[in-house]
Amino acid sequence: MMRETAVDLARRIGTGDLSAHEVVSAALADIAARDGQIGAFLSVREQALEEAARVDAARAAGEPLPPLAGVPVALKDNLNLTGTRTTCASRALENYISPYTATAVQRLRAAGAIVVGKTNMDEFAMGSSTENSAFQLTRNPWDLSRVPGGSSGGSAAAVAAGFVPLALGSDTGGSVRQPAGFTGTLGFKPTYGRVSRYGLVAFASSLDQIGPFARSTRDLATVLDAISGHDPLDATSLEATARFAEALGDGVRGLRFAYVRESLGEANTPGVQAALERVRAVLEARGASFSEVSLPSLEYGIATYYLIATPEASSNLARYDGMVYSHRALLTSEADVNAVMSASRAESFGPEVRRRILMGTYALSSGYYDAYYSKAMRVRQLIARDFERAFADFDVLVTPTSPYPAFRFGEKSDDPVAMYQSDVDTVSLNLAGLPGLSIPAGFETLEGRELPVGVQLIAPALTDERLIAVSQAFEEATSGEFLRVAPQVQTVG
Ligand code: GLN
């Protein structure tokens, strides 16, 4: 049952063919049976059953049901939902209970979705493998010896494993798209400002966007229609009407695509190259044209991203001082406030978060500000301008989501720069504020295991809906071949 799309589940619940209660209890039972091997969830919500019963009661009373009525969904653990623990996979927030709900979450629930749990992530969303969680590893459902990507690895794995048809993550430099690519799911990073950030725990505020994971383009469009739109509680949120579902049938005839030259070449594995070729062949057969375009400043994407993301993080994470929010160290009564704050922070943060705070503080410090932060802000403009120039001639740009499929645990965790490089194709969209979608477009067999490969589609700001049209065209032409649930994990005992 959980293999079905969200839209199909909601339809069957609407006709009475299934009850929301049985769907949600099946999801919870499946998580209880199989998540021990995957580790996607940090917490599950038993209240989901009562909420499902309320959907069934509304149906019985003849009330009209919203589009995702009774559909189980998962939330990355940096999204607030009143009464849930929102840990950001950090010791700092291990016992933090949300006193309010994020706007995107409130809208998703207003659309009828039922939150069954909160998912694992890299601590404070800093990482690309979910190995930086303070609590547990999350395994890639396609190959349990490999990472699911990150930082939204738990949400990606939950959808890939078939626990839920939809999940929300957050994307600051690739954290929705890269794990989507690694797990064979769709992962969407909206135009900056299309989805409210209110209630998303901030990492780098000028880059963060909430984005969904799904296994069908129609589901993706449905969730995007639900969560996007202006929110007075987020001053950076934009006025723009969401028309995602309307775009499903638009097709790609006449659309001008271009590969981004800087993302091609031998950095990519053969499976990634084959997926790029497949996207071209499939879309050309549907009337699209393909070309190639150069964006020279993309070479500076990773450096620029880290010089902007870490200063913002060092500032955003200053609030976790043990006084109001986070874990407080137990010191003797003589300890002064500075000692308590610094001990609390030392006990709270893992090595990657410390590294980011140190880097960010350094880049902002007097004497280095001009050399690092302010220079990065100027390069950010150059990157945005390169995209604008490319979009004068093309409608959609195409790159790999990552240069390779999922890597093994430990393969990059000792080498921060190698880990950072895995976002080489995704960070520039956050810097420019553009929408991006990772679509599963192939498989690569490594050491006898079939691993999913993602291709990234990029559109101009505020034309997010175009990516839905492309994804739907690709999904139809390939009969959903690349949107399969990961092969069943054996349950132990
Ligand atoms: N991997 C990148 C980082 O570690 C991006 C993370 C994200 O998008 N949240 O910063």
Side-chain angles (χ1 to χ4, degrees), residues 134-342:
F135 303 124
Q136 65 192 35
L137 292 177
T138 297
R139 298 180 181 279
N140 190 316
W142 290 87
D143 177 347
L144 300 181
S145 70
R146 292 178 188 268
V147 303
S151 64
S152 313
S155 285
V159 172
F163 291 136
V164 284
L166 291 172
L168 295 186
S170 66
D171 188 313
T172 305
S175 280
V176 167
R177 290 160 288 156
Q178 185 258 25
F182 280 13
T183 58
T185 53
L186 293 160
F188 199 100
K189 200 289 276 182
T191 296
Y192 183 79
R194 282 210 73 174
V195 177
S196 167
R197 290 179 296 108
Y198 179 75
L200 166 68
V201 179
F203 161 12
S205 309
S206 78
L207 303 163
D208 298 340
Q209 267 297 283
I210 293 169
F213 294 91
R215 266 183 281 104
S216 97
T217 308
R218 182 174 296 277
D219 283 3
L220 190 68
T222 306
V223 66
L224 284 163
D225 276 329
I227 66 174
S228 51
H230 181 253
D231 177 13
L233 297 173
D234 172 0
T236 62
S237 103
L238 300 173
E239 299 281 355
T241 311
R243 300 180 192 285
F244 289 94
E246 279 174 41
L248 281 164
D250 285 357
V252 295
R253 187 158 302 282
L255 281 186
R256 301 160 303 168
F257 289 76
Y259 290 125
V260 175
R261 183 168 306 146
E262 286 70 19
S263 74
L264 303 176
E266 48 220 46
N268 301 322
T269 62
V272 169
Q273 291 174 30
L276 288 168
E277 281 304 318
R278 177 176 298 112
V279 167
R280 174 190 192 135
V282 166
L283 297 179
E284 275 181 348
R286 294 214 153 200
S289 69
F290 263 78
S291 181
E292 200 175 296
V293 65
S294 173
L295 282 71
S297 62
L298 290 199
E299 184 191 338
Y300 306 106
I302 291 282
T304 306
Y305 169 81
Y306 279 93
L307 288 173
I308 290 173
T310 63
E312 293 189 23
S314 73
S315 162
N316 276 325
L317 271 59
R319 72 192 70 169
Y320 305 113
D321 56 10
M323 296 294 125
V324 181
Y325 286 105
S326 48
H327 165 79
R328 181 181 300 177
L330 290 171
L331 299 187
T332 60
S333 53
E334 296 91 78
D336 69 12
V337 69
N338 283 320
V340 175
M341 284 189 190
S342 67

